[in-house]
Amino acid sequence: MRAIIIGAGITGPVTAMALQKAGIDATVHEAYERTADGVGAYLTLAANGLAALRVLGIDQRELGGFDTPALELRGSSGRVLAHLAMSRDDDAGTVSQTVRRSDLYVRLRDEAVRRGIPVEYGKRLVDATTLPDGAVVASFADGTTAEGDLLIGADGLNSRVREILDPGCPPPRYTGLLNTGGYASGVSVDTPVGLFTMTFGKRAFFAYANRGPGDVWWFANVPRARAATDDELAAWTPDRWRAELTRLFADDDGPALDLIAATPDIVPPWNTMDLPTVPVWHRGPVGLIGDAAHAISPTSGQGASLAIEDGVLLARFLRDHGDPASAFAAFEASRRRRVEKLIAQAKRTSNQKIPNPLTRVVRDHLIMPLVGKAAARTTHDWVTDYRIDWDAPADRLPA
């Protein structure tokens, strides 16, 4: 089989490497001339995503991030509400990794290229046509085409492949928060290295992780009733946005103001979006994976990990089923319940970040303490303990 992969972010290169492991040739097609080098904020890869990368022979120490084994939730006064582990006590000693998004893109893409997988740039998909013999032809904006036995849409939240499969698909949903973040230099915090400290502030949500002396990574979620337009986002100049963040966190306990002041370049704000459900994941030899099929709020800490799981699982199904249409159908049957449950859970968490006097009391004095107690007692986590056995039969995959 020959696979056409649309998108060279996280999902595309991972899927191509997994397909190679399954004995399937793939070429990755990226709309931009280069893929996000040096751009954007950071993300956390959870234990389940790191375990899926190990199936491909990629170790978490190769990703350029740092260990973030736990998080602590606090109220605006600084009171600790809950302490949650982010690592898993497995044989591999898996610890969540926080890494710059662009570094992860580059390392995965370069590893795919090192393994002999072609990555073509400037290939913006316009259309995909299934021929009578079952082959797929991808047409690009530069006038070129590519033909394969299947086409995989790994092209993210605003997927063109999803639009082709189902022009009536519901658009991405705004979750009620703007996102931003940055890297503070030359300032210290009194928390252990790798601990994520997250504060439900009076006006907005703030989180930070101590990477080491004078190096603190942070993010903020700012409530907004409606999604900001492109013009509104552009109006937040760096100075204006810094002043707004300073205002939002002025009355909260913690180092937010010091970290904001010590950050040379704050990431411009963007709307946080998700896809609660995508009705059509595949049609014939064309299918969706990653954010194209199930975009999830960053609140989950699972977006990248779910995408990596997708790539490895789809390759397994293609290896074991042979026929692309059957493989896509089996993949959807295996994945839809898990990802949609996580998307719903992430939306509930996002709602907790939107200040409200009544919900604040319930959250701080009831919900979060119960979450902390439950996490301390559990020996299994259905999200992060998910593992893929590459050599198991296709009907023995985890649900």
Side-chain angles (χ1 to χ4, degrees):
M1 278 192 286
R2 296 163 299 150
I4 302 167
I5 298 176
I6 306 300
I10 294 171
T11 318
V14 166
T15 304
M17 288 185 278
L19 289 173
Q20 184 184 66
K21 183 177 177 71
I24 299 169
D25 293 331
T27 299
V28 181
H29 301 266
E30 169 59 40
Y32 296 97
E33 291 299 330
R34 197 68 172 159
T35 175
D37 298 34
V39 175
Y42 60 88
L43 56 82
T44 296
L45 283 171
N48 50 302
L50 295 170
L53 284 178
R54 280 200 303 274
V55 173
L56 304 179
I58 299 174
D59 186 83
Q60 63 189 51
R61 307 298 171 185
E62 302 171 7
L63 303 177
F66 65 103
D67 290 356
T68 43
L71 66 85
E72 193 169 74
L73 295 167
R74 299 185 179 186
S76 60
S77 66
R79 184 171 70 90
V80 176
L81 306 176
H83 186 94
L84 308 174
M86 296 169 66
S87 59
R88 300 307 300 170
D89 187 17
D90 60 15
D91 293 339
T94 309
V95 178
S96 293
Q97 294 288 297
T98 298
V99 59
R100 291 177 188 257
R101 182 179 292 272
S102 61
D103 288 351
L104 183 61
Y105 284 164
V106 171
R107 287 171 187 261
L108 292 175
R109 178 199 66 206
D110 288 354
E111 178 61 19
V113 171
R114 188 189 70 79
R115 297 183 185 194
I117 295 167
V119 180
E120 298 187 3
Y121 296 95
K123 299 297 181 180
R124 183 172 297 279
L125 184 71
V126 175
D127 203 1
T129 305
T130 301
L131 302 179
D133 64 359
V136 182
V137 176
S139 302
F140 301 103
D142 64 358
T144 62
T145 60
E147 184 173 334
D149 299 295
L150 68 151
L151 184 146
I152 300 169
D155 49 345
L157 178 70
N158 298 307
S159 169
R160 173 58 183 155
V161 180
R162 185 175 68 242
E163 186 178 33
I164 292 169
L165 282 175
D166 181 11
C169 180
R173 173 182 65 178
Y174 174 58
T175 66
L177 297 168
L178 296 180
N179 242 326
T180 187
Y183 308 93
S185 301
V187 62
S188 297
V189 291
D190 61 355
T191 54
V193 172
L195 175 70
F196 254 113
T197 304
M198 303 186 174
T199 302
F200 293 98
K202 293 180 179 178
R203 302 184 187 91
F205 184 88
F206 191 86
Y208 62 93
N210 179 10
R211 187 176 186 184
D215 188 8
V216 183
W217 295 17
W218 61 270
F219 72 85
N221 299 143
V222 176
R224 181 184 169 92
R226 59 175 179 81
T229 65
D230 290 343
D231 288 343
E232 287 170 333
L233 291 173
W236 290 105
T237 63
D239 287 344
R240 183 185 171 198
W241 186 235
R242 186 187 299 274
E244 174 64 5
L245 291 172
T246 300
R247 181 191 71 81
L248 288 168
F249 297 108
D251 297 327
D252 295 337
D253 183 79
L257 297 185
D258 291 338
L259 296 177
I260 292 167
T263 302
D265 299 301
I266 297 174
V267 177
W270 73 93
N271 295 311
T272 305
M273 314 292 284
D274 69 6
L275 284 167
T277 186
V278 172
V280 180
W281 279 28
H282 60 91
R283 182 172 290 111
V286 179
L288 305 172
I289 60 173
D291 279 357
H294 50 72
I296 187 170
S297 165
T299 293
S300 68
Q302 278 291 322
S305 293
L306 291 178
I308 293 165
E309 286 180 1
D310 276 4
V312 177
L313 282 170
L314 179 60
R316 270 208 49 181
F317 280 118
L318 285 164
R319 179 198 70 186
D320 295 341
H321 285 264
D323 172 56
S326 298
F328 279 128
F331 171 76
E332 179 182 358
S334 171
R335 294 299 280 167
R336 185 180 281 276
R337 180 176 180 274
R338 172 173 169 80
V339 298
E340 291 187 354
K341 184 177 178 180
L342 273 167
I343 292 167
Q345 178 176 289
K347 182 59 170 69
R348 290 193 295 271
T349 302
S350 294
N351 292 345
Q352 294 290 334
K353 295 179 176 181
I354 300 173
N356 176 289
L358 177 60
T359 57
R360 181 185 297 126
V361 172
V362 175
R363 179 196 66 213
D364 292 3
H365 296 279
L366 179 62
I367 296 176
M368 290 304 157
L370 288 176
V371 168
K373 290 177 182 178
R377 290 195 305 266
T378 187
T379 58
H380 176 74
D381 181 87
W382 70 276
V383 179
T384 58
D385 284 350
Y386 185 94
R387 296 292 183 271
I388 301 168
D389 183 350
W390 180 261
D391 297 317
D395 60 354
R396 299 289 297 276
L397 285 168

